[in-house]
């Protein structure tokens, strides 16, 4: 499996790839203003690429569970300079993590290679913006809205219902003129799922192979690790690595993580086991 990217590039997904999370937020840096924020983002980006990330996911943080939406101009001001700086200085795949049509268009114009949308292009104008942008799009499942999604999620069968949602979103994308080859799918761990539902989704991850589309997963430091183990966010690395390993074994193509080096190591051991090591 491979993704076709802008500027005659491709991303080979025959072996699982690491997507590094690059948060560009006011609180991710003390209070340095534009320059310091850019500097810190570029440093983080360089580190993650050295550590083995193939993709950097750049988000203005509009999508946290329980969070308020970020105003459009603020999101643009946060992400566009970072995308441009990375594009000009580093050789990597840049993903824009947004649900807003205007951010998708501007980010791709600024050099983003793909769109990561936790709202699966359900926002106003997002289908059309993604179609016009012509880049790969990751469709993530979320039950409800970021503000309300952790209130009593209920499913008859979580995997079946999430797969059904995906079928509908894929159809909507095709209807909007997005090529099937441009789509990636993501179960949306933690987005409107209980602890038990998250682990059922992980257990049944093989079922996603029926789509024959690239599968992206994000479990890094999430409460499905923290609540299971009773650990704060700073102590969730081992559990997150277990999730990454299991997902890769069950067919995930892209693993979205905070801890790039540790995840790349785990995937290298898995790769040596599955495909052997040259003597
Ligand atoms: C607080 C809670 C902060 C949760 C951040 C988060 C995913 C994503 C996120 C995912 C894709 C996080 C999440 N999660 N995009 N964006 N898949 N495609 O842990 O699972 O980063 S936000």
């Amino acid at each position: 499996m491979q993704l076709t990217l802008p500027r005659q590039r491709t991303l080979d997904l025959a072996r699982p790839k690491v997507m590094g999370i690059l948060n560009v937020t006011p609180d991710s840096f003390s209070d340095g203003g534009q320059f310091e924020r850019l500097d810190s983002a570029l440093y983080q980006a360089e580190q993650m690429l050295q550590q083995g990330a193939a993709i950097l996911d750049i988000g203005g943080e509009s999508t946290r569970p329980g969070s308020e939406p970020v105003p459009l101009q603020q999101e643009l001001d946060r992400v566009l300079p970072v995308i441009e700086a990375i594009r000009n200085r580093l050789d990597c795949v840049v993903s824009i993590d947004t649900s807003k049509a205007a951010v998708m268009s501007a980010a791709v114009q600024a050099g983003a290679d793909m769109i990561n949308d936790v709202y699966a292009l359900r926002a106003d104008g997002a289908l059309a913006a993604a179609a016009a942008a012509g880049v790969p799009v990751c469709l993530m499942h979320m039950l409800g809205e970021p503000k309300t999604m952790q209130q009593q999620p209920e499913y008859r069968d979580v995997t079946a219902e999430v797969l059904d949602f995906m079928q509908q979103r894929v159809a909507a994308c095709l209807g909007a003129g997005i090529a099937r080859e441009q789509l990636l799918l993501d179960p949306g761990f933690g987005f409107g799922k209980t602890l038990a539902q998250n682990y059922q989704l992980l257990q049944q991850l093989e079922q996603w192979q029926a789509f024959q589309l690239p599968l992206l997963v994000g479990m890094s430091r999430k409460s499905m690790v923290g609540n299971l183990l009773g650990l704060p966010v700073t102590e969730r690395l081992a559990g997150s690595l277990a999730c990454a390993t299991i997902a890769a074994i069950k067919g995930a193509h892209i693993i979205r993580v905070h801890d790039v080096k540790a995840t790349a190591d785990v995937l290298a051991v898995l790769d040596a086991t599955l495909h052997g090591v040259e003597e």
Side-chain angles (χ1 to χ4, degrees):
M1 202 143 3
Q2 78 172 20
L3 281 178
T4 303
L5 305 171
R7 293 173 287 277
Q8 270 88 49
R9 289 167 310 142
T10 59
L11 179 66
D12 176 29
L13 297 175
R15 309 275 162 97
K17 294 287 185 288
V18 176
M19 170 186 261
I21 301 168
L22 204 154
N23 268 321
V24 190
T25 56
D27 44 299
S28 76
F29 207 76
S30 46
D31 193 24
Q34 269 298 353
F35 253 142
E36 262 179 296
R37 184 197 289 162
L38 247 188
D39 223 51
S40 140
L42 267 175
Y43 178 78
Q44 273 187 76
E46 249 181 321
Q47 291 289 309
M48 290 196 290
L49 294 175
Q50 269 176 23
Q51 293 169 357
I55 309 168
L56 300 179
D57 191 35
I58 300 170
E61 211 171 72
S62 54
T63 54
R64 294 184 167 210
S67 69
E68 296 286 340
V70 176
L72 171 63
Q73 194 56 51
Q74 197 174 324
E75 196 173 332
L76 290 169
D77 292 344
R78 283 182 192 175
V79 298
L80 294 183
V82 176
I83 292 169
E84 280 163 11
I86 291 176
R87 172 84 304 131
N88 289 333
R89 292 172 179 78
L90 305 170
D91 178 28
C92 64
V93 178
V94 174
S95 162
I96 174 68
D97 180 353
T98 189
S99 295
K100 294 192 183 84
V103 178
M104 292 174 188
S105 308
V108 171
Q109 190 73 39
D113 299 299
M114 61 176 280
I115 294 165
N116 173 27
D117 183 7
V118 300
Y119 211 62
L121 304 182
R122 286 178 291 164
D124 282 345
L127 273 171
V135 298
V137 188
C138 178
L139 306 171
M140 196 197 80
H141 174 269
M142 166 168 52
L143 186 71
E145 312 266 330
K147 272 193 81 168
T148 58
M149 67 186 179
Q150 286 310 102
Q151 300 164 9
Q152 299 291 335
E154 274 184 48
Y155 301 87
R156 160 181 55 77
D157 172 338
V158 67
T159 294
E161 284 176 48
V162 174
L163 289 173
D164 202 65
F165 169 88
M166 282 298 157
Q167 202 90 58
Q168 292 174 36
R169 294 316 298 159
V170 169
C173 288
L174 300 185
I178 300 172
R180 195 171 195 280
E181 300 71 46
Q182 299 279 62
L183 298 175
L184 302 88
L185 306 181
D186 185 332
F189 288 101
F191 285 82
K193 287 107 184 164
T194 63
L195 184 64
Q197 289 160 354
N198 282 310
Y199 281 96
Q200 189 171 355
L201 268 176
L202 182 55
Q203 197 230 341
Q204 299 177 332
L205 205 61
E206 290 100 339
Q207 292 189 29
W208 291 69
Q209 290 174 25
F211 278 101
Q212 301 229 21
L213 288 175
L215 180 63
L216 191 156
V217 296
M219 292 173 277
S220 181
R221 299 183 187 172
K222 282 188 180 173
S223 55
M224 67 179 284
V225 173
N227 291 351
L228 183 78
L229 305 174
L231 293 173
V233 71
T234 51
E235 305 293 324
R236 297 177 184 175
L237 177 58
S240 299
L241 293 175
C243 290
T245 310
I246 294 160
I249 290 172
K250 287 176 178 280
H253 299 88
I254 299 174
I255 321 273
R256 182 180 179 275
V257 299
H258 302 87
D259 303 285
V260 170
K261 177 64 165 72
T263 306
D265 285 353
V266 150
L267 293 178
V269 170
L270 179 61
D271 185 61
T273 309
L274 295 177
H275 304 104
V277 178
E278 293 212 40
E279 293 286 1

